[in-house]
């Protein structure tokens, strides 16, 4: 059996399985193209259960392209707070503005036109085109890659762009149209998320494609797909300054470019500073602290960097003017503070 024949035989089995096993998720069941788009962007780096409350809140506050195009950046980031990868939110808004200008506020239906919008790559374009418009366009994410590489027992490296391109082309030639296109895109993801799980988590006993799966036949299902080792993250030591004056805390806004662009943060500097070094730094900033004491440690993993943070609680006799001073309640309600600082946000209330 060729690879094309194998996948061709799997598709009707998968569609039948998915019709029965489809989980009711908030963006399913005749969603608008806008709803598909927002959900796919959220789901790119975020687990389904984590994304659901964000999705519901986002759609309630920004129910259509127009509302997204017009919302303030501050409010947009606040809606995204905690999801991470904030450029996703900024690109959503950039694309919303382009959709209003170029298409009168309605998403275009072709994958080719969708791909030209900010933040929409091959995956998202294929997902919107198939899920919202019934176009015969595959959307190949990590789950779909795993399903297809196992089905065909290909040992191609899942992290190589060429592998994704191969899977996309193979699927494109076999894709149905209309409701089945949506069902296939969704069903492939669903199988990868609930049955064809990574490594030893794989549940072949529950798989509708088990009889067709070459990896299973070869006993290789847990070993596939093959992945090259990603580069290890660069470790960065940082010192976080929790500056308190009365019931207010000091925050500042990050630069418009780079990691966590435009988000609010507690002042922090590179390096693992001692209490003496912190005191000296504050004197430089124009504040003479009343006290400086260690206040816990935390780690945060970004895609390419790991922050190892140590915090200091610092009592200040007056507010340092270059920083912004807010109560814990104000920070929680009005400022987009990234998850990297969550541990300290929690301590403020304690
Ligand atoms: N992962 C990415 N997109 C998804 C979707 N529409 N449904 C379920 N899981 C997904």
């Amino acid at each position: 059996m060729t690879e094309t024949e194998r996948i061709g035989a799997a598709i009707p089995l998968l569609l039948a399985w998915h019709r029965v096993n489809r989980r009711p998720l908030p963006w399913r069941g005749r969603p608008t193209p806008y709803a598909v788009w927002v959900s796919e962007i959220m789901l790119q780096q975020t687990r389904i259960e984590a994304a659901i409350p964000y999705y519901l809140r986002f759609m309630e506050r920004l129910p259509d392209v127009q509302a997204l195009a017009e919302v303030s950046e501050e409010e947009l980031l606040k809606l995204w707070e905690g999801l991470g990868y904030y450029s996703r939110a900024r690109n959503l808004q950039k694309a919303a503005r382009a959709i209003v200008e170029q298409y009168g506020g309605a998403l275009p239906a072709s994958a080719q036109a969708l791909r030209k919008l900010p933040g929409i790559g091959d995956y998202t374009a294929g997902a919107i085109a198939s899920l919202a418009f019934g176009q015969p366009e595959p959307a190949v994410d990590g789950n779909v890659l795993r399903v297809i590489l196992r089905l065909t027992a290909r040992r191609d490296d899942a992290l190589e762009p060429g592998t994704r391109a191969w899977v996309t082309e193979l699927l494109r030639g076999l894709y149905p149209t209309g409701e089945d296109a949506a069902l296939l895109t969704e069903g492939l993801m669903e199988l990868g998320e609930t049955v064809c799980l990574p490594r030893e988590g794989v549940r072949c006993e529950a798989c509708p494609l088990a009889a067709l799966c070459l990896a299973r036949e070869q006993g290789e299902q847990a070993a596939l797909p093959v992945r090259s080792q990603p580069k290890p993250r660069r470790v960065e030591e940082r010192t976080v300054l929790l500056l308190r004056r009365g019931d207010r805390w000091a925050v500042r806004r990050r630069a418009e470019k780079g990691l966590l662009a435009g988000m609010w943060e507690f002042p922090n500097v590179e390096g693992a500073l001692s209490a003496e070094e912190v005191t000296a730094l504050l004197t430089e900033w124009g504040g003479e602290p009343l006290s400086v004491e260690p206040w816990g440690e935390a780690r945060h993993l970004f895609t390419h960097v790991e922050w190892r943070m140590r915090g200091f609680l610092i009592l200040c006799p007056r507010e340092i003017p270059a920083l912004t001073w807010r109560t814990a309640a104000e920070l929680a309600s009005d400022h987009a503070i990234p998850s990297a600082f969550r541990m300290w946000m929690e301590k403020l209330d304690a």
Side-chain angles (χ1 to χ4, degrees):
M1 201 187 302
T2 65
E3 284 160 342
T4 306
E5 285 165 354
R6 191 175 294 276
I7 295 169
I11 288 173
L13 299 178
L14 182 65
L15 294 180
W17 173 83
H18 189 52
R19 280 194 188 94
V20 177
N21 290 279
R22 198 164 184 253
R23 290 169 296 176
L25 297 171
W27 46 83
R28 289 187 174 171
R30 306 211 166 272
T32 62
Y34 175 69
V36 170
W37 173 36
V38 170
S39 63
E40 288 305 331
I41 297 294
M42 277 192 183
L43 289 167
Q44 267 169 38
Q45 323 274 354
T46 307
R47 284 176 310 107
I48 291 186
E49 309 81 70
I52 287 175
Y54 281 93
Y55 172 80
L56 295 173
R57 199 166 52 124
F58 194 96
M59 293 302 282
E60 189 174 308
R61 171 61 190 92
L62 305 174
D64 52 34
V65 176
Q66 191 77 36
L68 172 57
E70 288 170 5
V71 70
S72 73
E73 178 179 304
E74 196 70 27
E75 192 177 350
L76 178 65
L77 290 176
K78 191 71 195 164
L79 284 166
W80 211 265
E81 180 189 73
L83 277 175
Y85 304 94
Y86 296 89
S87 58
R88 291 185 293 170
R90 292 167 194 288
N91 278 331
L92 268 176
Q93 183 168 55
K94 271 193 217 152
R97 290 178 176 160
I99 293 165
V100 168
E101 274 175 29
Q102 295 168 28
Y103 302 103
L107 271 86
S110 83
Q112 199 190 358
L114 287 162
R115 229 178 263 119
K116 296 205 176 106
L117 295 164
I120 300 191
D122 290 342
Y123 166 79
T124 313
I128 299 171
S130 59
L131 293 170
F133 296 109
Q135 307 270 348
E137 289 285 343
V140 180
D141 67 358
N143 289 310
V144 178
L145 266 179
R146 187 166 62 253
V147 169
I148 300 298
L149 291 174
R150 281 183 176 158
L151 201 55
T152 54
R154 290 271 291 219
R155 303 194 68 81
D156 305 42
D157 182 342
L159 297 177
E160 280 289 322
T163 306
R164 189 179 295 257
W166 174 76
V167 169
T168 304
E169 285 320 305
L170 196 61
L171 280 173
R172 182 172 281 126
L174 296 164
Y175 239 70
T177 55
E179 273 183 35
D180 281 357
L183 212 55
L184 181 55
T185 293
E186 218 179 70
L188 282 166
M189 292 175 188
E190 193 87 342
L191 193 73
E193 280 162 0
T194 61
V195 175
C196 197
L197 294 164
R199 295 176 276 278
E200 307 294 337
V202 56
R203 300 172 53 225
C204 297
E205 72 286 355
C207 183
L209 310 181
L212 280 169
C213 182
L214 205 54
R216 179 174 144 88
E217 192 179 306
Q218 298 172 357
E220 284 287 293
Q221 62 273 31
L224 288 173
V226 175
R227 285 163 170 268
S228 55
Q229 284 296 317
K231 270 201 273 174
R233 288 188 183 84
R234 179 165 56 82
V235 173
E236 207 174 286
E237 308 265 8
R238 296 202 78 82
T239 303
V240 181
L241 311 180
L242 292 310
L243 297 154
R244 177 173 198 168
R245 153 83 184 125
D247 65 350
R248 290 167 180 265
W249 299 87
V251 289
R252 66 182 181 192
R253 211 157 171 231
R254 290 181 65 87
E256 287 300 332
K257 289 226 160 15
L259 190 69
L260 304 175
M263 307 281 296
W264 290 88
E265 67 176 0
F266 297 109
N268 62 90
V269 292
E270 195 167 350
L273 272 54
S274 65
E276 291 71 32
E277 287 167 320
V278 168
T279 307
L281 179 69
L282 284 169
T283 307
E284 232 173 84
W285 288 7
E288 321 265 316
L290 300 171
S291 66
V292 175
E293 55 178 279
W295 216 33
E297 300 188 351
R299 291 197 323 156
H300 188 78
L301 303 179
F302 297 97
T303 312
H304 302 296
V305 192
E306 172 182 341
W307 277 3
R308 294 208 182 133
M309 293 169 278
R310 53 160 71 178
F312 284 95
L313 173 62
I314 299 155
L315 300 184
C316 300
R318 68 190 103 81
E319 296 183 356
I320 300 171
L323 299 169
T324 301
W325 297 77
R326 296 282 184 266
T327 64
E330 287 168 341
L331 290 178
S333 62
D334 306 332
H335 291 68
I337 305 218
S339 313
F341 298 99
R342 179 173 297 153
M343 142 131 172
W344 281 288
M345 277 298 281
E346 283 166 9
K347 284 172 82 107
L348 302 190
D349 302 321

